Amino acid sequence: MSLSTPVVGLSPQSPSKRIKPKDVMLNILMSMTKEGASDGPQFVAPAKTSRDTLITTAYRLHRTRWRILEPYRRLKNALKKLQEDYLKSKEANALMRYVKLGQSVREVAMLEKQYWKLLNIPAQEGTEDANCYVVKIIELLEDTPTQLPPTRGIGALLQSTIGKPAEANVDTVLHDSLKARKSEDLVKECEGLYAQLYRLTKKYLGLRRLIKELHDKYEATRMFPIVPRYAMLKKMIKATLRAPEFADICHEQTE
């Protein structure tokens, strides 16, 4: 596939215009095979893909995966701690267990309000192809700036600048590392990253749903008396820990 071939849904490029990086990414990702991919999309590099394009593609896939990985770990760790707290609470008497369960659920539910620690990623639509969905996530997160906690004055100024030199260094190391690899290794890198990114996004959205439901249930029971609320807390925790989304990550280590 020629890199100048227009992708469905995009305006054709005139010969005098330079192809934009996003168009290159779309040309590559939209060429992924749709057959024999039961667990998700597969990356297939076009025959005429240039080495620079492969480097750019691998770089963008790495960056997008890192962007999702941080909030994913935050949600995963919170839910695994909830499981640990729930098991430990069985050793306490009824009153102390009620207090411990309330505190544990509250800590997890608070994540729903801390918007700057999470990402708003749309779910895959029923008729949306997996390839198109991953491309949409990549472009969406590239156009979405990193959110900072609400701070004013000098704190806001420091937060807007701190970490940028370190992030630039990481980007440089990543880009240099990719440039040192062979083209066939870059193709394999893209293949693995594309599948990882798709699975990570689906798992992240599943954990977001669990925590949103837990938050809503917790808020709805705050004004109930101790006795019925105690049973409600146990019920909402059990429902969360028995959900398929948690079962999918319960074997992973806390990070």
Side-chain angles (χ1 to χ4, degrees), residues 44-57:
V44 177
K48 296 183 179 180
T49 300
S50 69
R51 177 177 171 79
D52 289 342
T53 298
L54 286 172
I55 293 173
T56 300
T57 302

Side-chain angles (χ1 to χ4, degrees), residues 150-245:
T151 308
R152 297 181 179 179
I154 188 65
L157 179 61
L158 290 174
Q159 286 177 345
S160 65
T161 57
I162 192 170
K164 286 187 177 181
E167 184 176 352
N169 290 336
V170 171
D171 287 346
T172 301
V173 171
L174 170 61
H175 198 268
D176 290 344
S177 174
L178 294 173
K179 287 174 62 178
R181 301 187 186 185
K182 298 179 180 178
S183 296
E184 53 268 29
D185 293 334
L186 289 172
V187 172
K188 293 180 181 179
E189 182 89 354
C190 291
E191 179 181 353
L193 285 170
Y194 192 78
Q196 290 175 36
L197 180 56
Y198 182 78
R199 291 194 297 266
L200 179 63
T201 300
K202 304 293 281 188
K203 290 200 295 183
Y204 173 76
L205 289 175
L207 299 188
R208 279 299 305 267
R209 185 189 67 80
L210 282 184
I211 288 182
K212 175 66 167 59
E213 291 180 355
L214 190 65
H215 169 271
D216 293 346
K217 292 177 181 177
Y218 175 79
E219 291 295 323
T221 63
R222 291 184 64 179
M223 303 307 295
F224 278 73
I226 291 179
V227 175
R229 188 167 186 255
Y230 176 40
M232 292 175 180
L233 287 172
K234 290 195 297 182
K235 184 177 181 180
M236 68 178 73
I237 292 175
K238 287 181 179 180
T240 300
L241 299 182
R242 291 173 180 173
E245 293 86 350

